[in-house]
Amino acid sequence: MVKAEVITIGDEILFGQITDTNTQWISTELTNIGIRTIRKSSVGDDEKAILEILAEAESRADVILITGGLGPTKDDITKKTLCTYFDTELSINEEALAFITAFFEKRGRPMTELNRLQAAVPNNCTYIANRWGTAPGMWFERNGKVFISMPGVPFEMKNLMTHTLLPKLQAFFETPIIYHKMLRTIGIGESFLAERIADWEDNLPPHIKLAYLPNFGQVRLRLTATGTDLEQLKKETQAEVEKVLPLIDVNVFGYDNDEIETVVGRILKERGQTLSTAESCTGGYTSHLITKVSGSSAYFVGGIISYSNEIKIAELGVKPSTLAEFGAVSEQTVVEMAEGVRQRLNSTYGIAASGIAGPDGGTDEKPVGTIWIASAGPDGTVTQKLQLGKFREQNIQYTSVYLLNLLRKQLLGL
Amino acid sequence: MVKAEVITIGDEILFGQITDTNTQWISTELTNIGIRTIRKSSVGDDEKAILEILAEAESRADVILITGGLGPTKDDITKKTLCTYFDTELSINEEALAFITAFFEKRGRPMTELNRLQAAVPNNCTYIANRWGTAPGMWFERNGKVFISMPGVPFEMKNLMTHTLLPKLQAFFETPIIYHKMLRTIGIGESFLAERIADWEDNLPPHIKLAYLPNFGQVRLRLTATGTDLEQLKKETQAEVEKVLPLIDVNVFGYDNDEIETVVGRILKERGQTLSTAESCTGGYTSHLITKVSGSSAYFVGGIISYSNEIKIAELGVKPSTLAEFGAVSEQTVVEMAEGVRQRLNSTYGIAASGIAGPDGGTDEKPVGTIWIASAGPDGTVTQKLQLGKFREQNIQYTSVYLLNLLRKQLLGL
């Protein structure tokens, strides 16, 4: 099996000033073309460290993918270091220079000397045109191994990979077939899930592996089948899915790249129904999850973020007496919020959340993490109380996911 | 200087099924106590690979921090592998067992055999109590080097580090003083920034280093000073900040961990003023940025997400004639949205965004990425047109950040 190492270069990653999302995306894409990532590494903008990791990676892997260190500024040294590693020199690539010049003309921005130098690449590499930015992609070959250098800007890297480098890698290497099938579960902990499906897991055929991937109240079950015949692998994996489903079916909300927001969106769209939101403690995050899905305007009409009680009353029609008697964080209030937004924005369903996200604002009776959620529809309103932790952002994300799952269960009559 | 390597263990990271946010957080914290991360690595749940990276890291670094692979399920082998590496055996730690038992009793959940086994640790390690989950922390020492193993669940790892491990590391190692100062800029590209401050950068003293960290329309300038006297380093760094500020002051919105949402929040709170939002294309993301800040309820009253024109009219008072004449994505509409929400929700300021987030819905006249933003206040309304790219989530994030910056400039009269 073709083995890959992914290397990110930059002090900003080592020092922790930015989140590296590139390597996750890269290894996912590599997996999908049957290339196995065996290691990921990050080193700083330091020539010695870069030369060392390149040599190590070359000794272990067949393809080495490098991101970062290609910026126009002084602290980016990847190109220079690649020249040292491959014992060659930089020279201006005319195609790159023409593109960069056009890039700046198109945007009506002056081109600096630093930008011009971005058109320089090592003499022994194949220049990979970057139509999304000013840093070039580079492809090196040595002793049947491939080295790829890409800019660290995620959307530039992703476009280079998708349009040029992944097809080029598929053409270069002969790879076995790997087939992944993911079951997305929600509302059951990893160890309870494991206990419930232990017998099934123990009886999986040796070429099908199972992994548990827990994240925010969800656990993804990933089946990975390896072989030579894709159709056969799909059949065998599907057979295993059908064996395990009866054990966990209420918890399975989707497959593969399904997210809870895409699943509920699909159902609403199919039914020609609409959705609105009334958010207090989640402060817009639930609406963001819904609307980051392209095409969500087909079923999402809008929402009201009612951070203050005045707005709960004026915009959602929550009764002052309800707030006085039961408080903003109560089943009664969240029901009136959900039904209020559904009526006010004239949608088929209305969902609402009200709670104490923390870290402050808790009481003995209602500690931080006490959250009520509700989903109102044509056949009535369902509610759920969540007792979460002390971490504000985590509470916001959990609540939005559980709220969308509450809607999913109402939509499906579960 | 004490050198650290951070190792994450788990197929889920290698295969790209989850984002690793732990290593970023860990290396930031290490930097702050004067420990330099020299490398980050990820390997799979594979004994050979884990043994190999442990030996490599031990040869390079003084402290090796390991996360992941401590879950209750069959695919987690870190503890077993640490026993092999240190040539010892697992045995149940009574303190750990007592805690885990109490953990499940408290939650009224049955405890499984798998959970019981989580109380087992290698005989040669110091058990580090994890009060936030069921996987133990472990501290190993060999030849003056330290190995730390922690669960991969971020909030468990962060609590173990903050409450126990970082203080323990500071006590164990003698470290030089490192002082970081970050300038947060917005609205100027990396290479233009670099050109503008090139002379200043060239004249920085050798013990103060500069790095450019671009991200979503922002560029962070990080000054890193190394020495022995913290107060001296702070003085010298501040002197450099005061030299560079006049060159870029409109672009500097804050320092260190300031985010645009915390900066505008601080100003509003100091002035006792309030804010509301009217979001179309950003779909709640701007409100989420505002409300993920603890204490934002002091100045954020709420918002209206007007995805449909009906809601722009009914809830925000946008004139049907405006929508008919200029369209939803226009300066006129976004002005009426901002002024409408300000009036409707009775806040000092109202901010609004309307645009085509993409990937679909563009026209020749208004291509994908055409976005209008507005900020309405007591002294009038300011607007800005953005021409962004084709990537939906990126457009949403850029727009929210630029919208908050438009508000910042209005608040400060810039």
Side-chain angles (χ1 to χ4, degrees):
Chain A
M1 183 163 189
V2 178
K3 289 177 290 186
E5 292 208 18
V6 183
I7 301 169
T8 54
I9 295 175
D11 288 341
E12 65 273 23
I13 289 176
L14 272 189
F15 290 167
Q17 264 84 3
I18 69 167
T19 310
D20 164 36
T21 56
N22 286 345
T23 56
Q24 177 184 12
W25 187 90
I26 290 169
S27 46
T28 306
E29 294 301 312
L30 291 175
T31 304
N32 294 338
I33 62 169
I35 296 178
R36 184 186 186 89
T37 304
I38 58 165
R39 189 181 293 202
K40 297 179 183 178
S41 311
S42 298
V43 294
D45 298 304
D46 173 274
E47 180 166 34
K48 183 173 162 302
I50 296 170
L51 293 171
E52 183 180 283
I53 185 69
L54 286 172
E56 282 176 27
E58 185 171 13
S59 73
R60 285 184 297 250
D62 308 299
V63 52
I64 295 95
L65 300 100
I66 306 153
T67 65
L70 298 180
T73 49
K74 299 180 174 24
D75 52 341
D76 288 312
I77 62 167
T78 299
K79 272 196 304 200
K80 197 171 115 295
T81 308
L82 284 166
C83 284
T84 309
Y85 189 72
F86 289 111
D87 189 23
T88 182
E89 287 173 352
L90 284 176
S91 50
I92 294 286
N93 177 289
E94 289 310 323
E95 182 186 348
L97 184 60
F99 173 77
I100 293 172
T101 312
F103 183 94
F104 280 89
E105 276 168 4
K106 190 173 159 204
R107 286 160 182 70
R109 281 161 42 187
M111 181 168 155
T112 69
E113 175 61 15
L114 287 175
N115 297 127
R116 209 185 72 81
L117 290 175
Q118 292 195 279
V121 299
N123 293 325
N124 67 326
C125 80
T126 306
Y127 163 72
I128 306 291
N130 173 2
R131 282 170 280 126
W132 303 270
T134 53
M138 293 165 260
W139 172 287
F140 305 81
E141 293 177 21
R142 179 153 81 178
N143 309 326
K145 299 192 172 196
V146 172
F147 293 72
I148 292 169
S149 170
M150 298 174 282
V153 179
F155 76 90
E156 295 182 31
M157 179 281 293
K158 289 177 184 176
N159 278 296
L160 282 171
M161 286 287 284
T162 305
H163 297 292
T164 312
L165 294 166
L166 286 167
K168 205 166 154 63
L169 283 169
Q170 281 178 294
F172 189 89
F173 291 107
E174 286 187 1
T175 58
I177 305 291
I178 293 191
Y179 176 67
H180 288 288
K181 186 72 184 175
M182 190 101 73
L183 278 73
R184 313 287 307 255
T185 75
I186 191 165
I188 179 172
E190 181 177 5
S191 46
F192 292 92
L193 199 54
E195 294 272 312
R196 204 185 284 178
I197 65 177
D199 295 345
W200 169 79
E201 181 174 359
D202 293 339
N203 292 305
L204 282 171
H207 68 294
I208 300 184
K209 304 250 172 277
L210 177 71
Y212 295 78
L213 315 173
N215 185 36
F216 283 119
Q218 305 185 21
V219 178
R220 288 171 292 176
L221 294 174
R222 191 195 62 232
L223 287 161
T224 304
T226 310
T228 55
D229 178 343
L230 180 60
E231 288 317 307
Q232 181 64 19
L233 292 176
K234 283 184 179 173
K235 271 204 213 73
E236 291 164 348
T237 311
Q238 188 54 35
E240 294 302 330
V241 168
E242 275 152 29
K243 278 186 221 161
V244 76
L245 262 186
L247 307 173
I248 52 174
D249 54 359
V250 259
N251 299 105
V252 174
F253 71 85
Y255 299 91
D256 301 327
N257 296 324
D258 286 342
E259 298 292 346
I260 188 73
E261 59 268 21
T262 54
V263 169
V264 295
R266 207 180 300 137
I267 299 169
L268 290 165
K269 197 169 181 175
E270 282 165 6
R271 299 183 181 176
Q273 298 179 317
T274 58
L275 175 66
S276 62
T277 55
E279 300 190 67
S280 185
C281 62
T282 47
Y285 189 72
T286 311
S287 305
H288 168 60
L289 288 182
I290 296 165
T291 55
K292 76 181 167 60
V293 178
S294 170
S296 47
S297 55
Y299 48 85
F300 183 69
V301 297
I304 289 168
I305 300 162
S306 56
Y307 233 51
S308 71
N309 282 347
E310 293 67 27
I311 292 175
K312 290 186 182 72
I313 295 165
E315 302 300 319
L316 294 170
V318 174
K319 294 194 218 74
S321 59
T322 305
L323 292 167
E325 191 177 347
F326 304 103
V329 180
S330 65
E331 181 170 29
Q332 292 81 355
T333 296
V334 82
V335 164
E336 291 183 19
M337 286 170 66
E339 293 175 352
V341 79
R342 174 178 182 258
Q343 187 174 33
R344 180 66 170 261
L345 301 191
N346 189 29
S347 58
T348 322
Y349 291 86
I351 56 177
S354 183
I356 302 148
D360 313 314
T363 63
D364 293 352
E365 190 206 348
K366 295 175 183 176
V368 167
T370 306
I371 291 158
W372 277 97
I373 57 177
S375 180
D379 305 325
T381 303
V382 291
T383 64
Q384 187 181 348
K385 183 186 186 182
L386 307 175
Q387 196 62 62
L388 303 176
K390 297 192 168 5
F391 304 92
R392 183 180 183 85
E393 281 199 59
Q394 191 178 43
N395 288 345
I396 290 170
Q397 293 178 43
Y398 264 101
T399 302
S400 294
V401 166
Y402 281 123
L403 178 54
L404 290 167
N405 192 48
L406 185 66
L407 170 63
R408 178 188 71 96
K409 289 192 287 185
Q410 188 181 39
L411 284 165
L412 299 176
L414 295 172
Chain B
M1 181 161 190
V2 179
K3 292 181 295 210
E5 292 209 18
V6 183
I7 300 170
T8 53
I9 294 175
D11 288 342
E12 65 272 24
I13 289 176
L14 272 190
F15 290 168
Q17 265 84 2
I18 69 167
T19 310
D20 164 36
T21 56
N22 287 345
T23 56
Q24 177 185 11
W25 188 89
I26 291 169
S27 46
T28 307
E29 295 301 312
L30 291 176
T31 305
N32 294 338
I33 62 168
I35 295 178
R36 184 185 186 89
T37 303
I38 58 165
R39 190 183 292 205
K40 297 178 183 179
S41 309
S42 298
V43 294
D45 298 304
D46 173 275
E47 180 166 33
K48 183 174 164 303
I50 296 170
L51 292 172
E52 183 180 285
I53 184 69
L54 286 172
E56 282 177 26
E58 185 172 11
S59 73
R60 285 185 298 250
D62 307 298
V63 52
I64 295 96
L65 300 100
I66 307 154
T67 64
L70 297 181
T73 49
K74 298 177 176 22
D75 53 339
D76 288 314
I77 61 166
T78 299
K79 272 195 306 198
K80 198 172 114 295
T81 308
L82 284 166
C83 284
T84 309
Y85 189 72
F86 289 109
D87 190 22
T88 182
E89 286 174 355
L90 284 176
S91 49
I92 294 287
N93 178 289
E94 289 310 322
E95 183 186 349
L97 184 60
F99 173 77
I100 293 173
T101 310
F103 183 95
F104 280 89
E105 275 168 6
K106 190 173 160 204
R107 286 159 180 72
R109 281 162 44 189
M111 180 168 156
T112 69
E113 175 59 16
L114 287 175
N115 297 126
R116 209 184 72 81
L117 290 176
Q118 291 195 281
V121 299
N123 295 324
N124 67 325
C125 80
T126 307
Y127 162 73
I128 305 291
N130 173 2
R131 283 170 280 127
W132 303 270
T134 53
M138 293 165 261
W139 172 288
F140 304 82
E141 293 177 23
R142 180 155 78 180
N143 309 328
K145 300 194 172 195
V146 173
F147 294 71
I148 292 168
S149 170
M150 298 174 282
V153 179
F155 75 92
E156 294 182 31
M157 178 280 294
K158 289 177 184 177
N159 278 294
L160 281 173
M161 286 286 283
T162 305
H163 297 291
T164 312
L165 295 166
L166 288 167
K168 204 165 154 66
L169 283 170
Q170 281 178 292
F172 190 90
F173 291 107
E174 283 186 3
T175 59
I177 305 289
I178 294 192
Y179 176 67
H180 288 288
K181 185 75 187 174
M182 189 101 71
L183 278 73
R184 313 287 307 254
T185 76
I186 191 166
I188 179 171
E190 179 177 5
S191 45
F192 292 93
L193 198 54
E195 294 272 312
R196 204 185 283 179
I197 66 178
D199 295 344
W200 169 80
E201 180 175 0
D202 293 339
N203 291 304
L204 281 171
H207 69 294
I208 300 183
K209 304 248 169 281
L210 177 71
Y212 295 79
L213 315 173
N215 185 36
F216 283 117
Q218 306 184 22
V219 178
R220 288 170 292 177
L221 294 174
R222 190 196 62 232
L223 287 162
T224 304
T226 309
T228 55
D229 178 344
L230 180 60
E231 287 316 307
Q232 182 63 19
L233 292 176
K234 282 183 178 173
K235 270 204 214 74
E236 291 165 348
T237 310
Q238 188 54 36
E240 293 303 329
V241 168
E242 275 154 28
K243 279 187 219 158
V244 75
L245 262 185
L247 307 173
I248 51 175
D249 55 359
V250 264
N251 299 105
V252 175
F253 71 85
Y255 299 91
D256 301 326
N257 295 325
D258 286 343
E259 298 292 347
I260 188 73
E261 60 268 22
T262 53
V263 169
V264 295
R266 206 180 300 137
I267 299 168
L268 290 165
K269 196 168 181 175
E270 282 165 7
R271 299 182 181 177
Q273 297 179 318
T274 57
L275 175 66
S276 62
T277 55
E279 301 189 67
S280 185
C281 62
T282 46
Y285 190 72
T286 311
S287 305
H288 168 60
L289 288 183
I290 296 165
T291 55
K292 76 179 168 62
V293 178
S294 171
S296 48
S297 54
Y299 47 85
F300 183 68
V301 296
I304 289 168
I305 300 162
S306 56
Y307 233 51
S308 71
N309 282 347
E310 293 67 26
I311 292 174
K312 290 186 181 72
I313 295 165
E315 303 299 320
L316 293 171
V318 173
K319 294 196 217 73
S321 59
T322 306
L323 291 166
E325 192 176 345
F326 304 102
V329 180
S330 65
E331 181 169 30
Q332 293 80 356
T333 295
V334 82
V335 165
E336 292 183 18
M337 286 171 67
E339 294 173 351
V341 79
R342 173 177 182 259
Q343 184 174 34
R344 181 65 168 264
L345 301 191
N346 189 30
S347 56
T348 322
Y349 290 86
I351 56 176
S354 184
I356 303 149
D360 312 314
T363 64
D364 293 351
E365 192 206 346
K366 295 175 182 175
V368 168
T370 306
I371 291 157
W372 276 97
I373 57 178
S375 180
D379 306 325
T381 302
V382 293
T383 65
Q384 187 181 349
K385 185 187 185 182
L386 306 175
Q387 196 62 63
L388 303 177
K390 295 190 167 10
F391 303 92
R392 183 180 184 85
E393 282 198 58
Q394 192 177 44
N395 288 344
I396 291 170
Q397 293 178 43
Y398 264 102
T399 302
S400 294
V401 166
Y402 281 124
L403 178 55
L404 290 167
N405 192 47
L406 185 66
L407 170 63
R408 180 187 71 94
K409 289 192 287 186
Q410 188 181 37
L411 285 165
L412 299 177
L414 295 172

